[in-house]
Amino acid sequence: MNVPRYFALIPAAGVGARMQLGSPKQYAMLAGKPMLQHVMETFARASHITHTYVVVSAADVYVDDLPFIAGTTVLRCGGATRRESVMNGLAAIAAEVSAEDWMLVHDAARPGLTVPLIEQLIAALKDDAVGGLLALPVVDTLKRANGQGRVDATVSRDALWAAQTPQMFRHATLLQALQQADAVTDEASAMEALGLQPKLVEGHARNFKVTLPQDLLLAELYLKGRYEDNTPI
Ligand code: CTP
Ligand code: MG
């Protein structure tokens, strides 16, 4: 059997409704570059990654303004949901990858990802039967709300993790899992629905998902800090 390779797939076909910019948030400028460009460059610098695929919507009028990045291909096959965008992307590259190759699916909206985080994920999962994801143990005390915005109960945070991306699974199983899944918001949920147990690999706060207007400042601080501190993340 051939040694499995590693490919990145970046879903970038969302509209960014919660960011309220009037244009998709993946093109918002952060530390001098569009958010999506930061993510593409990070994967291009990761030596393990054979090739990176970016999934945008067919109507995208912004992606052509990004600079050419070697080893990166844009696919104009985004769908109505994140799951559909990932599924369409995986189907579009089926002839270019092997069933056992690893796919690292990463949100365009997480520009804080670093090469060391990619390397940690790959090191933790390369011999794994299932695959897994970056995630963070929950640190806040959790409350369940009743219908009136009051606390119904305090929920134990023991054993709770917040999922991040990349989520790393083998191409054929992941495509099959997503095709069979209903309304999942990440790849791991689709794998779980097949009865599999993805491995949790500790990520980093800087890899948070840029979602609301107030997130842009923090994302920019992390991106600028990348070049100023020596933290190997
Ligand atoms: N995404 C996608 N196709 C969709 C919806 C989302 O490829 N139909 C991508 C987004 O571009 C993003 C990632 O999935 O990189 C995570 O989604 P999210 O943060 O929810 O982004 P949006 O859907 O764009 O934002 P919102 O939900 O606020 O509209
Ligand atoms: Mg969304």
Side-chain angles (χ1 to χ4, degrees), residues 10-19 24-26 55-56 78-86 106-110 209-211:
I10 305 170
V15 295
R18 286 169 288 180
M19 186 59 74
K25 64 182 176 184
Q26 55 271 32
V55 179
V56 302
T81 62
R82 182 183 179 283
R83 167 180 159 265
E84 279 180 45
S85 296
V86 173
H106 181 69
D107 294 330
R110 296 182 186 272
K209 190 170 71 149
V210 179
T211 306

Side-chain angles (χ1 to χ4, degrees), residues 78-126:
T81 62
R82 182 183 179 283
R83 167 180 159 265
E84 279 180 45
S85 296
V86 173
M87 220 165 51
N88 293 351
L90 292 174
I93 63 169
E96 291 161 50
V97 304
S98 302
E100 297 299 307
D101 282 338
W102 290 106
M103 301 300 310
L104 281 76
V105 180
H106 181 69
D107 294 330
R110 296 182 186 272
L113 183 69
T114 60
V115 172
L117 280 171
I118 295 172
E119 287 171 347
Q120 285 164 30
L121 182 70
I122 289 175
L125 298 177
K126 63 180 168 42

